[in-house]
């Protein structure tokens, strides 16, 4: 006696069924307005938020400060790597340092 084969499974194409797509989007919570009045096109945009909020330009003073601080840190780091004795003398008013290794490590950490 041969076992009866079950009929092949019929897949429902939710891409073509507009009512099914609408129900799916309502269940996921996308496509409608939220409390802020924003319309989310996907769950990812709902979780991450609207990218327009992050397209704000920073003030010019902030950009200048970032540039100046980067130049200062790089300058002190290069001075610590190339001329550790002069940097030690500029910072401390004591006698000369016995080992240059800690100053060069400091310069490497600043440069990185």
């Amino acid at each position: 006696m041969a076992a009866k084969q079950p009929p092949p499974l019929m897949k429902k194409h939710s891409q073509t069924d507009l009512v099914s797509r609408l129900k799916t989007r309502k269940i996921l919570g996308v496509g409608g307005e939220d409390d802020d009045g924003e319309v989310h096109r996907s769950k990812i945009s709902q979780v991450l938020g609207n990218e327009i909020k992050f397209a704000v330009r920073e003030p010019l003073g902030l950009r200048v400060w970032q540039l100046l601080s980067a130049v200062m840190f790089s300058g002190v780091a290069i001075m610590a790597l190339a001329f550790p004795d002069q940097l030690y003398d500029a910072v401390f008013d004591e006698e000369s340092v016995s080992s240059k290794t800690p100053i060069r490590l400091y310069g490497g950490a600043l440069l990185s």
Side-chain angles (χ1 to χ4, degrees), residues 24 33-34 61 75 94 101:
T24 304
E33 290 187 11
D34 61 0
E94 300 173 12
T101 305

Side-chain angles (χ1 to χ4, degrees), residues 12-27 30:
K12 185 174 184 181
H13 297 288
S14 64
Q15 299 291 338
T16 58
D17 187 6
L18 294 178
V19 175
S20 176
R21 284 183 67 192
L22 180 62
K23 287 179 183 176
T24 304
R25 291 180 69 80
K26 282 196 177 286
I27 289 171
V30 294

Side-chain angles (χ1 to χ4, degrees), residues 21-95:
R21 284 183 67 192
L22 180 62
K23 287 179 183 176
T24 304
R25 291 180 69 80
K26 282 196 177 286
I27 289 171
L28 288 175
V30 294
E33 290 187 11
D34 61 0
D35 296 337
D36 298 329
E38 295 180 4
V39 177
H40 297 283
R41 298 187 62 125
S42 69
K43 200 68 174 173
I44 293 173
S45 70
Q46 208 170 15
V47 171
L48 295 179
N50 196 353
E51 70 273 357
I52 295 173
K53 296 175 189 172
F54 303 113
V56 178
R57 293 180 52 93
E58 290 90 9
L60 182 63
L62 178 64
R63 292 285 186 181
V64 170
W65 172 253
Q66 288 174 340
L67 177 69
L68 286 176
S69 61
V71 168
M72 282 179 31
F73 278 111
S74 299
V76 171
I78 290 171
M79 187 174 173
L81 289 172
F83 311 108
D85 290 331
Q86 284 82 0
L87 180 68
Y88 187 82
D89 291 340
V91 174
F92 302 106
D93 292 332
E94 300 173 12
E95 63 274 351

